[in-house]
Amino acid sequence: MGIVIRDAYVVLPLDGKDQAGIHTLYVEDDAIAGIDQKPEGFSEDTVIDGKDRLVIPGLVNAHTHTYMSMMRNLADDLSFTDWLFNTVNPIEDRLSGEDAYWGSLLGQIEMIRSGTTTFNDQQMHIHQTTKAVMESGMRAVICRGLVGDGYDRSDRRLQEALEEMKDGERSSRLSFFIGPHAPYTCSLDYLRMCADVAEELGLGIHIHLAESRVELENMKKESGCSPIEYAQKAGVFRVRTIAAHCVQVSDSDIRILKENKVSVVTNPASNMKLGNGFAPVPELLSAGVNVCLGTDGAASNNAQNMIREMGLLALIHKGSHQSSQCVSAAETFRMATLNGAEALGLPTGSIEIGKKADLSILRLNTASMMPNNNPISALCYSADGSEVDTVIIDGKIVMRGRELLTIDEERVYYEIRSMLRRLGLL
Ligand code: NI
């Protein structure tokens, strides 16, 4: 199967910088097979006219909880403790696997519609999430959120997670991490066990670290160390680690993150909405830490729109640091694409021959994108996601002309409304 995208503005990584120019792309099977030069033996089934179109690598949402999309706008303007322990957790406890499936599809609709092709998901129900991913055509890294005490390999949640992961062997679009929730919900021994299991299975770790001041203060009081030091002590960083938030980190924590090659996911909307503050993104970047971008779940954002998130990321640090040169559009674009893909160990995140064909095509002939003076700036400062016209994941078109080809949207909305009525939430 071959797709040609002819004469579009394409963002390519040239000389270490992302640059937009007019190019023709050739997609063969699941990969980018040619740029401006037709590969030998290439046969085209689909031609996309690139006039007034911008092609970018599909955005990588490096931290979310897609099932939470069904909780959108149910838990707002609350303290972090009230939000998590008194509102979100009690709803979560009542959700079935089927509910998580529809919630995940709702999140995936919103992501595809705003140009995201990959997401890193911490879940309660892996089995139903992999089913949703198989159907939607998205690329996903999934982990079961784990909480517990003690070094106990027979732990129910861990065993369920390992069992459910077997489902994922069916698609190259699916991969798995081990997902200890956070140091404040996992004992040191439990974290140590998660790290051992991840190491043995050759999997990465997806964890929340240093999200709030309360977490930092409690950890210091109870264990005498910061959440970053705690995770290091448990041996978590022996394996590939992607750490969400890292808002409350000291210079010494940043050094630990850098030395241990931990990737940090910043979630600006979630951190602001829950009153947790701003991650020190400029400081992390200048220390050489791989920083990527995520939305977090829709219960704390309340959107799954990476273009909106890029806009926030590119602006908030300029405001908080009173510096117009802080966190540029170019840096933001990297955090939303290649940095996320590298953190997850995926061959995506940039448009290069041989990489997987995960592409988002935006309209340039809209009021928000006109005139086309600087497409990367436009993505960060002008776009809202509605410009995304066509999305290709793993070489397959999943949305064309804003019509979703893999998910029955109306059915998903119907099921979400029914679920909320059943739970007494609507
Ligand atoms: Ni989270």
Side-chain angles (χ1 to χ4, degrees), residues 63-65 68 83 122 181 206 208 211 244-245 267 270 296-297 300:
H63 175 70
T64 187
H65 313 272
M68 282 186 160
W83 172 82
Q122 196 171 99
H181 172 258
H206 177 189
H208 300 83
E211 180 173 2
H245 304 305
N267 306 276
S270 170
D296 209 351
S300 63

Side-chain angles (χ1 to χ4, degrees), residues 297-368:
S300 63
N301 183 306
N302 297 355
Q304 298 289 287
N305 180 334
M306 283 286 284
I307 290 184
R308 176 180 181 261
E309 211 68 31
M310 287 166 72
L312 286 173
L313 175 61
L315 288 175
I316 60 171
H317 298 287
K318 294 179 170 70
S320 64
H321 284 68
Q322 300 186 35
S323 162
S324 58
Q325 285 163 317
C326 209
V327 184
S328 66
E331 286 171 317
T332 300
F333 182 76
R334 276 281 161 115
M335 287 188 259
T337 54
L338 190 59
N339 291 9
E342 287 183 345
L344 296 166
L346 297 174
T348 63
S350 59
I351 300 177
E352 294 175 77
I353 292 175
K355 283 217 172 176
K356 296 286 184 193
D358 288 9
L359 305 166
S360 293
I361 307 177
L362 291 87
R363 291 173 58 191
L364 287 170
N365 54 349
T366 66
S368 57

Side-chain angles (χ1 to χ4, degrees), residues 5 9-14 18-19 23-27 32-35 54-58 333-334 337-338 347-361:
I5 306 166
Y9 270 92
V10 181
V11 178
L12 299 178
L14 300 171
D18 294 309
Q19 297 180 37
H23 298 283
T24 292
L25 296 180
Y26 297 89
V27 172
I32 297 161
I35 299 173
L54 171 67
V55 187
I56 60 169
F333 182 76
R334 276 281 161 115
T337 54
L338 190 59
T348 63
S350 59
I351 300 177
E352 294 175 77
I353 292 175
K355 283 217 172 176
K356 296 286 184 193
D358 288 9
L359 305 166
S360 293
I361 307 177

Side-chain angles (χ1 to χ4, degrees), residues 115-379:
T116 294
T117 55
T118 295
F119 63 101
N120 182 31
D121 212 24
Q122 196 171 99
Q123 269 291 337
M124 306 288 277
H125 302 273
I126 293 181
H127 174 71
Q128 287 82 0
T129 312
T130 58
K131 181 170 169 244
V133 171
M134 294 297 291
E135 291 169 9
S136 71
M138 287 195 79
R139 193 179 302 284
V141 178
I142 301 170
C143 68
R144 166 77 184 263
L146 301 169
V147 298
D149 280 319
Y151 195 108
D152 174 12
R153 290 205 177 213
S154 64
D155 175 73
R156 175 180 62 83
R157 288 171 199 254
L158 176 67
Q159 285 308 317
E160 282 175 7
L162 297 176
E163 199 50 45
E164 287 171 322
M165 282 180 197
K166 291 180 184 159
D167 289 344
E169 288 159 11
R170 289 174 291 153
S171 171
S172 61
R173 287 184 286 105
L174 275 167
S175 46
F176 297 92
F177 270 31
I178 297 289
H181 172 258
Y184 61 89
T185 48
C186 297
S187 73
L188 199 66
D189 279 343
Y190 192 82
L191 274 186
R192 193 172 284 136
M193 176 188 69
C194 289
D196 286 349
V197 171
E199 189 172 43
E200 284 163 24
L201 298 176
L203 302 177
I205 292 243
H206 177 189
I207 189 170
H208 300 83
L209 287 180
E211 180 173 2
S212 70
R213 187 177 300 152
V214 174
E215 175 189 350
L216 176 68
E217 286 167 359
N218 287 346
M219 291 241 58
K220 285 256 179 195
K221 224 182 292 164
E222 286 160 22
S223 63
C225 52
S226 73
I228 307 293
E229 290 163 347
Y230 187 87
Q232 185 190 30
K233 203 163 140 189
V236 168
F237 302 153
R238 276 182 290 133
V239 297
R240 175 192 291 275
T241 301
I242 185 157
H245 304 305
C246 297
V247 176
Q248 300 291 336
V249 290
S250 64
D251 289 349
S252 136
D253 288 331
I254 292 176
R255 271 196 302 278
I256 295 173
L257 294 168
K258 165 67 181 158
E259 278 162 17
N260 290 279
K261 298 193 176 74
V262 176
S263 292
V264 169
V265 189
T266 189
N267 306 276
S270 170
N271 294 153
M272 285 194 283
K273 183 158 181 288
L274 293 174
N276 287 328
F278 308 100
V281 171
E283 293 76 7
L284 287 161
L285 289 176
S286 59
V289 174
N290 182 46
V291 182
C292 19
L293 181 63
T295 58
D296 209 351
S300 63
N301 183 306
N302 297 355
Q304 298 289 287
N305 180 334
M306 283 286 284
I307 290 184
R308 176 180 181 261
E309 211 68 31
M310 287 166 72
L312 286 173
L313 175 61
L315 288 175
I316 60 171
H317 298 287
K318 294 179 170 70
S320 64
H321 284 68
Q322 300 186 35
S323 162
S324 58
Q325 285 163 317
C326 209
V327 184
S328 66
E331 286 171 317
T332 300
F333 182 76
R334 276 281 161 115
M335 287 188 259
T337 54
L338 190 59
N339 291 9
E342 287 183 345
L344 296 166
L346 297 174
T348 63
S350 59
I351 300 177
E352 294 175 77
I353 292 175
K355 283 217 172 176
K356 296 286 184 193
D358 288 9
L359 305 166
S360 293
I361 307 177
L362 291 87
R363 291 173 58 191
L364 287 170
N365 54 349
T366 66
S368 57
M369 300 297 272
M370 187 72 70
N372 183 27
N373 287 329
N374 182 336
I376 292 174
S377 287
L379 280 170

